[in-house]
Amino acid sequence: MSGYFSTPKSNLAMRHRVGGVWKAIFFLSTAIGLLALAVLVITILDDVFGLVAVVDKVDRTTLADRPLEDLEKDELLAILDKKVSVNRLRTIQRNGGFTLDEIPAGEVYELVIAEVVKPTVEESYPLFDSLFKRAEIEAEVAQKHPDATIYFYSWLNQRFLTNSMSTTPQLAGVRTALFGSLWIIVITVAFAFPIGVGAAIYLEEYASRSWVNRVIQTNIDNLAGVPSIVYGILGLAIFVRTLSALTSGKAFGVEGVETGRTVLAAGLTMGLLVLPILIINAQEAVRAVPNSLRQASYGLGATQWQTIWHHVLPSAFPGILTGTILAVSRAIGETAPLILVGASSLINKDPQGIFSYFTALPIQIYNWTSRPQAEFRNIAAAAIIVLLVVLLSLNAVAILTRNRLTRRAP
Amino acid sequence: MTETLEKQHLAIETRDMHLFYGHFRAVKDVDLQVIPQKITAIIGPSGCGKSTVLRSFNRMNDFVPSFHMEGEVLFHGQNIYATDVDPVMVRQRIGMVFQKPNPFPKSIYDNVAWGARINGFKENMDDLVEQTLRQAALWDEVKDDLRKSGLSLSGGQQQRLCIARALAVKPEIILMDEPCSALDPIATLKIEDLMRELSEQYTIIIVTHNMQQAARASDHTAFFTMDEDRAGIMVEYGETNQIFTNPRDKRTEDYITGRFG
Amino acid sequence: MENQIVKQQVIRMESAEQLVIHKLRKRPRLGETFIQGFLFFCGAVSIFTTIGIVFELGKESLLFFQMPGVTLVEFLTKTEWQPTIGKFGVLSLINATLMTTLFAMLVALPLGLGAAIYLSEYATPRARSILKPVLEVLAGVPTVVYGFFALTTMTPLLRAIFGEQVQVYNTLSAGLVMGIMILPLVCSMSEDALSAVPRSLREAAYGLGATRLETAVQVVVPAALSGIIAAFILGVSRAVGETMIVALAAGSGPNFTFDPFQAAETMTGYIARISGGDVSYDTPDYNSIFAIGLLLFTSTLLLNVISRRLVARFREVYE
Ligand SMILES: Nc1ncnc2c1ncn2[C@@H]1O[C@H](COP(=O)(O)OP(=O)(O)OP(=O)(O)O)[C@@H](O)[C@H]1O
Ligand SMILES: [Mg+2]
């Protein structure tokens, strides 16, 4: 500072110094939030990829004189015949819905590995250790498991996506859980979308300021803040227990499902859970439609419903759609209500319809995370990636459709 | 008169001042010399850049990201836009009263005391509050309950509170941007009387849309208008009397006689 | 002849008039009424939901308190919780919930408020438009993922810092991670409150020669205080109701302790663990879920209502 302004009128330099320090603190708060996100992502990646030490139950070299990959199909079949019991082979073919003769050599090879060689992961190492401490890892493995082979492994792979649940981490996959989540979401949307949009239209377009409508509005706002586990308790009491005849399908003559712990119960529970959020989002979209549009329509002699159906809803649609997708993405990640309505992580049969027992992606993550073995952490992390990818693509779809629809609108 | 002497006698002087919002030139080439301890009015049609000019005198425009300026604004002979000048210091010396009364949601007392306190005022705060409230002709109306919220006052009282608040920092210049536009005629007259009194100690620059107000209350008047690119220009500047009775420029005449536009 | 024509015309005009009158007359529109009825029903579904929650929680809780050995006084004052052997003191669960909530808010309040002040008072519009959505990604991450994070990263980190005294499951780790989860909520609600403070107030402060910090902390934050408190209260409500993080990282098994390094089960954690197995109906375990659920529901509802009141009051002042 120079000239006139340098006359010290107050403790200004000090104040600026304090201001600078606090600015740094405020910035740091923001940065910590961002850092947390980064660390979260890194933690997950750290567990998805990394070195594994694998020991084969049966030494591969005793099975054939060449590497197994190079064998012809009939040679592989011969190994299967020799090493696996006839009953087991039959079970495999029945469960898989194929016969050994039909399938290509590649799949027979997979069978040989799974049924005969039975490689087991003895140790698994996180990504960053694998990258930077490889020598130490190799030394450790050589000492603890002399006959183990070490290689780099991605726990997130094609097999992980297509296999169903298994108690062996390398063989476990998320197919059943993915289908479970999908079914739940379909039911959630089918239930919550029409009712949610209907309620939003009612509250924005029809409702007078009577006490009934104020109660409805307040109630919706409060429901949006109810913890998800309370919805789970509600689902357990109503859909699983009280309405078990409906949710198990007995009332419709469906056999084989004894309790109400089905996809349907889960979907309806989730529907109730996302309903308030969906209504609030849809209300916002409807409210954003300019009043001039409604007046133009009334001016042409349209009824209220014609106005809503032909003018209000189409212009509110992009907003409603995004709001719905946001609400649904909440449902995909919710875990607690599913625990209560009886998702079971041990299920390995894909849901066949709305009256099936089920598991879901977050349930698998929960279950695998809570096990102590490192390999389960690995597949939990892989499942998290699958879940996050699903969520991200949903949000991307929401943004893209909104952009496209709003651009087309006049 | 030598140049330095002249400088000493000016409260604010602008040289080739151009003011921009992004690429838009809001104000073009203003050379204005504000005389100390006088009331200077800035008048002109809406959108001609009066507020922009006024706010550039204490660097309030710094908070508009797209704003930038060319030229110089001299205060005691020093360019307040020089890189080594602290805008906070500028605003301590050049206070501001805004169009809409904007008291803090604090007590009347704290409204007045806050500015002085942050600026390191160490003497008797009660005295300062009383003194400035008296100066702002508000003391008698509020002395019974200084703990009341500033928001509980009437609009005119709020505006006087804002003036008191500005005075408590002990500035040299007070900028007022249409300070009476939200007030009724009685409250307006009160503020005008107040300005007259304050002008014995302070330099006051006031933006107003009210022609009578400018004629009544100011010593000097600057008339601004827009040129064909919608940039604000200063058309005429002189003694208020002369501007209103004998304008030199046709545009000024049209405006003050209501034939504008 | 002429007369007749006139007559006819008169008749025609009269009937036309009647036609108009007939057309203008209000008629019941069945379709419209039906639709409106349906839409009202949609709105009412939320009422049924609330009634369902209150009814089911109330009914089963009543059964719970009618069980031999359970009294409300014991429920609310005893610290040992073991329904299977007749110990029904919910305080240990409440204590763990309060501990995790406390740790969460110790993280979420200062960081969330700090970030909000940075975003609303310091960041350029460009920086804000990038930083805000990134922070909101944090809010969109499912809580089970945070649970994973707590168990695999936060706990090992705490053990590295504080040593073996930190148990594998502990309330501190769960609480801290919960704080990260709640941070975006506190941040974005506080930021809304801060940016709703009119610009004229900031200008008034700057006009008096205040620095940015003085303006932000002494003028803007106090003016937005009720909005910030609302954000804080809603954050507490979230923390109390959060399940997956505590279920994974805080530990299973009730434990009345104030040691943040020890495992202790929260109310939500208990509900999740008990219902995770195939809990059979009408057992002490089953009914206790509802009693604790009722406690959870009423406390979070109370917090939410207070928070919404504060926001409404804040809006009244500035809109
Ligand atoms: N923050 C801003 N960003 C961009 N342009 C602005 C901004 N503020 C003002 N302008 C533009 O600058 C020009 C001058 O505005 P200014 O507010 O100074 O006019 P004014 O003479 O004070 O008008 P009024 O008498 O209505 O208050 C106008 O064209 C206005 O649109
Ligand atoms: Mg103006």
Side-chain angles (χ1 to χ4, degrees), chain A residues 86-97:
Chain A
V86 184
N87 273 342
R88 174 74 190 143
L89 277 181
R90 227 180 267 142
T91 320
I92 292 170
Q93 296 181 59
R94 180 153 27 82
N95 284 352

Side-chain angles (χ1 to χ4, degrees), chain B residues 21 24 26 44-53 64 66 99 178 209 230:
Chain B
Y21 292 110
F24 171 59
S46 192
C48 70
K50 305 178 296 292
S51 300
T52 305
V53 167
V64 179
S66 65
Q99 177 168 359
E178 305 185 39
H209 270 149
R230 294 187 51 246

Side-chain angles (χ1 to χ4, degrees), chain B residues 17-21 24-28 30 42 47-62 64 67-69 73 81 96 175 177-178 207 224 232:
Chain B
M17 183 176 76
H18 298 258
L19 306 173
F20 302 83
Y21 292 110
F24 171 59
R25 187 196 301 259
V27 173
K28 193 158 108 182
V30 172
I42 299 180
C48 70
K50 305 178 296 292
S51 300
T52 305
V53 167
L54 195 72
R55 293 162 62 89
S56 67
F57 289 166
N58 70 343
R59 295 191 57 171
M60 284 304 276
N61 280 328
D62 287 19
V64 179
F67 174 84
H68 71 109
M69 68 95 66
V73 177
Y81 282 89
M96 190 155 201
L175 309 173
D177 192 350
E178 305 185 39
V207 166
F224 280 71

Side-chain angles (χ1 to χ4, degrees), chain B residues 72-106:
Chain B
E72 290 182 325
V73 177
L74 302 182
F75 174 64
H76 289 275
Q78 195 188 350
N79 182 10
I80 61 168
Y81 282 89
T83 43
D84 59 350
V85 167
D86 181 350
V88 173
M89 192 72 128
V90 172
R91 293 184 208 115
Q92 285 175 10
R93 296 304 181 79
I94 307 176
M96 190 155 201
V97 176
F98 300 83
Q99 177 168 359
K100 252 179 67 193
N102 54 354
F104 299 125
K106 299 176 191 284

Side-chain angles (χ1 to χ4, degrees), chain A residues 249-261:
Chain A
K250 280 218 192 78
F252 309 101
V254 177
E255 296 290 315
V257 178
E258 290 309 313
T259 65
R261 300 171 181 274

Side-chain angles (χ1 to χ4, degrees), chain C residues 200-260:
Chain C
S200 64
L201 225 51
R202 293 186 180 83
E203 292 190 332
Y206 289 130
L208 295 173
T211 62
R212 214 177 254 276
L213 176 73
E214 288 154 354
T215 307
V217 174
Q218 298 183 37
V219 173
V220 183
V221 168
L225 199 62
S226 57
I228 293 170
I229 294 175
F232 176 74
I233 293 177
L234 199 64
V236 171
S237 155
R238 271 290 163 79
V240 169
E242 169 48 35
T243 308
M244 296 322 294
I245 299 177
V246 290
L248 279 169
S252 44
N255 180 9
F256 189 81
T257 173
F258 295 105
D259 182 354

